[in-house]
Amino acid sequence: MRIELHGSELAAATAAAALSWVGHHVHWVPHETMRWPALRAADWLRREPDLLARLEEGLEQGTLVVANGEDVAPQRVDILWLALSPEQREEAGELAARVAERQDGPLTLVNNSTFPVGETERLEARLKDGERRAVALVDMIEEGRAWASFTRSGRWLLGCDDEGAEAQVRELLRAFNRRRDVMQLMPRRAAELTKLATIGMLATRISYMNEIAGLADSLGVDVEYVRQGMGADSRIGYEYLYPGCGFGGPHFSRDLMRLADVQEASGRHSALLEQVLDINEQKKETLFRKLWTHFHGQLEGRTLAIWGAAFKPGSARIDHAPVLTLLRALWAQGVHVQLHDPAATPALREEVGEHPLLTLFDSDPYAACEGADALMLVTEWKHYWNPDWPRLAELLRERLLLDGRNIYDPFHVAGWGLVYRGIGRRADPRSTR
């Protein structure tokens, strides 16, 4: 098929790579705020496994053409694929109208953007022809594994009210839907709301578990027992039940705010969603409060090592990441931070600039611990999971470890002479090193 694809989101880059990889002819138009040269150099794109290589492959084979602002658009396309950011919503309607006017005959618009509920119907109205349809294909891309989550998706959520458009989208994605039918079909508005409702549910589980972790701290209970007990209940399960120092990310946080906007626009204020967001912001300060308590508020002049800045392992992004809240709180108290992250230091440097109380490391995590009073784990990159404990105990002057993701065993850490502070965790004397 001939596809015209618009957007500079991760979803746009992934769709361009995957659809051209299986033989479709893709004319990709990155948004003017981030054209192809900037995208190609973007750290978040380069860090995505396989993605940039597949884009280069499509360009080399000629199944992918990337426009750079002045290129002539194709006269006729079968699919108009929009993967725009919520802020580019107004442009989406103009794009739809422009492409529809440019060509005669059938056209299917695939709305792969996270827009307000009902936007796919409004986009269809801009197509102005009885043979033209718009469908909502919910963005299911996972940062850090975008290529895999598109090409080996466990579920495609398609909002569609037209049999012809459904058949065309099925054919478009047939190469990724071969082993078994993973297409879940529903009305367009239902699909748009399902995406937002799913994000809201996941965020609610995380925030609820963080509330339970705080309660466990107060009652002297190790929250790990509680987590495993809850997860064993088949009505609940284990997913998204891990307490931590808050969630972030450009898409997760943005989609939550979009859900809040939808609630407000419908006149239904959500006290629950408001609490979820408030709890998350409070949790971003949890590690700082534990550090403050340990040192009785005497933080000025101290040095703290931080492992991890990205909002999740496998990503180079720091959008809404807990580390930003932590840095502001630490600097306000005169704490010097020595931070290591294998991917996100360029994004952090761009966000905060050169700061006299910040030193960044991207190669050796132990270098960040030299001369530090304590270590704070913020992002659970896999190579942080099994550190050299004797070396850490020697490097940290106050031998304090603050585990913001509960990835360490408290009793094991204590066995190396370190003081452990987690999120609702405590040393279990029945454990052994």
Side-chain angles (χ1 to χ4, degrees), residues 183-217:
M183 195 76 72
Q184 185 176 6
L185 186 68
M186 60 180 66
R188 290 176 292 192
R189 286 189 174 222
E192 291 166 333
L193 182 56
T194 298
K195 166 65 185 293
L196 298 178
T198 300
I199 294 297
M201 174 60 80
L202 297 180
T204 300
R205 284 174 68 99
I206 295 170
S207 289
Y208 178 73
M209 202 63 211
N210 278 332
E211 281 286 271
I212 295 299
L215 180 60
D217 253 341

Side-chain angles (χ1 to χ4, degrees), residues 59-135:
L59 288 167
E60 184 178 336
Q61 293 179 352
T63 53
L64 174 64
V65 173
V66 183
N68 203 29
E70 305 82 20
D71 306 64
V72 177
Q75 285 299 306
R76 183 176 180 79
V77 294
D78 303 300
I79 301 288
L80 173 59
W81 184 297
L82 303 183
L84 300 167
S85 72
E87 296 76 23
Q88 293 154 6
R89 173 190 169 199
E90 294 302 322
E91 299 174 45
E94 297 169 9
L95 268 172
R98 190 160 63 245
V99 174
E101 187 163 334
R102 192 178 68 211
Q103 70 172 50
D104 298 322
L107 175 68
T108 298
L109 185 153
V110 175
N111 178 19
N112 192 220
S113 314
T114 302
F115 288 154
V117 176
E119 190 65 21
T120 304
E121 294 172 12
R122 288 188 283 272
L123 288 170
E124 183 174 276
R126 302 296 296 270
L127 300 177
K128 298 180 180 176
D129 193 292
E131 296 181 272
R132 298 171 178 180
R133 294 289 179 263
V135 304

Side-chain angles (χ1 to χ4, degrees), residues 166-184:
E166 178 195 345
Q168 191 174 24
V169 173
R170 283 185 176 276
E171 178 61 24
L172 176 70
L173 300 175
R174 180 169 51 85
F176 316 115
N177 193 36
R178 188 178 180 191
R179 185 178 61 175
R180 62 184 178 89
D181 187 5
V182 295
M183 195 76 72
Q184 185 176 6

